[in-house]
Amino acid sequence: MERPRLTPRRFGAASEDFNHIDVRPYSTVIGAEIGGVDLSTPLEPATLAEIRRAFLDWKVLFFRGQHLTVVQHADLARHWGELYVNPHLPDAGIEQVARIVHDESDPGNENMWHSDATHWDKPPLGSLLRAVKVPEFGGDTLWADLGAAYDGLPQALKERLVGLTAIHTQPAPDALSAALLRRKGTRVRHSVAEHPLVREHPETGRPILFVNPVFTSHVVGLPSQDSSALLDLLFRQVSFPEYQVRFRWEVGSIAFWDNRSTVHYGVNDYFPSCRIMERATILGDRPFPPAAVGS
Ligand SMILES: [Fe+2]
């Protein structure tokens, strides 16, 4: 079995490159904790600009001790774009912030690697998730860097991916989710999207391996066996810890991730404890392929 290969970071900025925030990286490629900022107060343009830069560099930013109101939470997310109103989840007081509750009657179900809603033509740009109640232990979230995972592929495989697209489709709800949807009277709108296997990040220009095992069903134009073998290989590439970061939540913690360049996994190890999160999701744009093959 091949080992993961890490290439030198190409876009990450060092802590000393920031004057208005403290940036403490959690790993070589993905994830940084941001300090020296109070997100409940209006952000100075220079501070916001540095947060934007750190977001693109590190793909997921962590903040601690940020006890925001729901309105402050939504206002913060709106700096990045229009917010999604989730018809499947209860809201947290305003419709742009969803409330996600797991307890003994509704166990966590985020424990599969995925980017959010890649079955949409325009998947979300990102999400800002805030911890309201956390279990005493457990309930961490992991993110993986799809740009670093792409960089680590052998050149021949990168060339094989050029021009390929994949179908992303909503998986059928499991029995528990189906019961929940029925109880809420929510109709599931089935959507399917075709995206390039490798997309270019619209802001950094970086090539990204745009697949995930929840939504990506098959590669267009390949026999079923070849499609499954290729996707399994790519999913395995994303599974290496070298491309990942793991976050331990506290009440008031915020994780803000770039949904275009990461997948995430909510560890479901805290049942039957209660975990309550609130989430604002920023609408995104249509993925497009890179102009040239990265090396
Ligand atoms: Fe998710």
Side-chain angles (χ1 to χ4, degrees):
M1 182 181 275
E2 224 181 294
R3 292 182 185 181
R5 300 182 309 162
L6 272 180
T7 53
R9 295 179 54 230
R10 294 189 292 166
F11 289 95
S15 315
E16 57 269 22
D17 295 333
F18 295 91
N19 299 311
H20 301 275
I21 54 174
D22 300 325
V23 178
R24 190 159 67 87
Y26 274 21
S27 81
T28 315
V29 293
I30 180 171
E33 185 171 318
I34 305 299
V37 61
D38 177 357
L39 298 176
S40 70
T41 59
L43 295 172
E44 294 294 329
T47 304
L48 183 59
E50 289 200 348
I51 294 174
R52 286 183 188 282
R53 186 150 61 85
F55 177 68
L56 295 176
D57 283 343
W58 291 104
K59 283 79 62 175
V60 52
L61 301 182
F62 307 118
F63 301 85
R64 294 197 182 273
Q66 304 284 347
H67 302 283
L68 306 187
T69 66
V70 176
V71 170
Q72 288 168 339
H73 182 157
D75 286 347
L76 179 63
R78 274 197 199 93
H79 286 299
W80 276 264
E82 194 185 333
L83 303 185
Y84 171 59
V85 176
N86 192 317
H88 304 292
L89 293 169
D91 69 54
I94 61 173
E95 61 180 3
Q96 293 85 2
V97 179
R99 192 171 173 89
I100 304 160
V101 180
H102 292 301
D103 56 20
E104 74 281 353
S105 66
D106 190 359
N109 59 0
E110 297 89 2
N111 53 337
M112 284 184 80
W113 285 110
H114 65 286
S115 308
D116 291 327
T118 61
H119 59 300
W120 297 351
D121 282 339
K122 297 177 178 180
L125 177 154
S127 278
L128 219 143
L129 186 65
R130 183 167 56 92
V132 174
K133 181 169 182 171
V134 296
E136 191 183 340
F137 43 83
D140 294 358
T141 304
L142 290 89
W143 285 263
D145 181 341
L146 297 175
Y150 174 80
D151 290 348
L153 291 174
Q155 184 63 18
L157 182 50
K158 286 179 182 169
E159 286 167 11
R160 195 177 148 211
L161 301 180
V162 173
L164 291 180
T165 59
I167 298 299
H168 294 238
T169 184
Q170 192 158 29
D174 57 32
L176 207 65
S177 307
L180 189 73
L181 290 171
R182 268 198 307 278
R183 207 163 66 225
K184 289 181 187 158
T186 307
R187 275 184 49 213
V188 177
R189 202 160 44 91
H190 192 72
S191 64
V192 176
E194 182 175 346
H195 297 306
L197 270 187
V198 180
R199 74 180 289 189
E200 180 176 307
H201 194 288
E203 295 184 78
T204 65
R206 191 172 181 182
I208 294 158
L209 190 55
F210 198 59
V211 292
N212 68 82
V214 167
F215 294 110
T216 313
S217 64
H218 62 279
V219 180
V220 175
L222 291 189
S224 169
Q225 268 191 335
D226 293 357
S227 166
S228 299
L230 179 57
L231 287 178
D232 285 349
L233 187 68
L234 299 179
F235 295 154
R236 191 172 72 86
Q237 173 73 356
V238 176
S239 73
F240 292 123
E242 279 82 352
Y243 305 127
Q244 298 172 10
V245 65
R246 181 170 180 144
F247 185 60
R248 171 97 186 93
W249 294 94
E250 298 165 340
V251 172
S253 298
I254 287 176
F256 176 30
W257 69 88
D258 189 334
N259 194 60
R260 303 163 294 190
S261 54
T262 62
V263 282
H264 53 279
Y265 183 114
V267 181
N268 185 21
D269 58 352
Y270 54 97
F271 179 82
S273 299
C274 181
R275 182 180 188 262
I276 301 176
M277 313 294 273
E278 293 181 353
R279 187 182 70 198
T281 295
I282 303 144
L283 297 177
D285 51 13
R286 189 185 299 274
F288 56 88
V293 188
S295 57

